[in-house]
Amino acid sequence: MSVQLNHTIVHARDNRESAEFFAELLGLEISGEWGPFVAVALSNSVTLDFAAVPAGSITPQHYAFLVSEAEFEAAYEKIRDRGIEHWADPRQTLPGEFNRNDGGRGVYFLDPAGHAMELITVPYGGWPQA
C-alpha cells in the first residue's frame, strides 16, 4: 500500500459548530462521531476530525481544498450571501475578492475557530502535463 493521508484533527472551540460550518459550506455531510471528534469526510476518503479544545489552545492552521469550478461557485455564493469575510490572498490584503491563479480561482476565509481555509480550483503550478 502506498502512503495516504487518512485523517487530520482540526482543533475547534465547538467541534460541532466547526464541522457543520465546513460541511454545509462545501455541500458535505458529517460522516461520524466518536469520542471528542465530529468527522467530515472528503471525496478522497480523508476525514477532518473536529475536536473541541479550549480556545487558548487553538493554534490557527491553514487548510487548502481543491474543488471543482461548480463547487467553488456554490461555496463562494454562500460566503458572499452569509457575509463571511474573505480575501483573494493569504495576507488578507484583498478583502471581498477571489484570485485567479494558474488558470483557476481561489479564495481565503476563516472558519469559526480562526483557521485559514482556502478553496482553489486548480493546483498551484497548474495541472500536471500528460
Side-chain angles (χ1 to χ4, degrees):
M1 172 185 280
S2 61
V3 176
Q4 297 179 14
L5 179 64
N6 177 264
H7 70 276
T8 191
I9 296 171
V10 181
H11 289 171
R13 289 185 300 271
D14 179 324
N15 57 353
R16 176 151 298 280
E17 175 191 32
S18 288
E20 288 177 352
F21 171 85
F22 179 77
E24 203 284 321
L25 188 69
L26 292 176
L28 302 171
E29 293 185 14
I30 291 176
S31 57
E33 295 184 47
W34 51 95
F37 305 110
V38 178
V40 177
L42 306 179
S43 64
N44 59 351
S45 299
V46 172
T47 62
L48 300 181
D49 297 350
F50 292 87
V53 300
S57 298
I58 298 173
T59 300
Q61 300 294 313
H62 173 75
Y63 298 93
F65 302 93
L66 182 61
V67 298
S68 70
E69 281 289 336
E71 290 164 329
F72 182 94
E73 191 57 41
Y76 192 66
E77 183 176 335
K78 291 175 186 177
I79 289 169
R80 285 191 319 255
D81 289 351
R82 294 174 187 163
I84 297 171
E85 196 170 12
H86 61 283
W87 304 269
D89 64 312
R91 292 185 185 91
Q92 303 176 353
T93 64
L94 299 168
E97 300 178 35
F98 62 83
N99 66 56
R100 292 195 176 272
N101 290 324
D102 297 311
R105 296 187 288 171
V107 66
Y108 297 83
F109 57 96
L110 302 179
D111 84 339
H115 296 297
M117 305 300 230
E118 178 183 10
L119 304 179
I120 56 174
T121 61
V122 174
Y124 285 103
W127 292 106
Q129 297 299 316

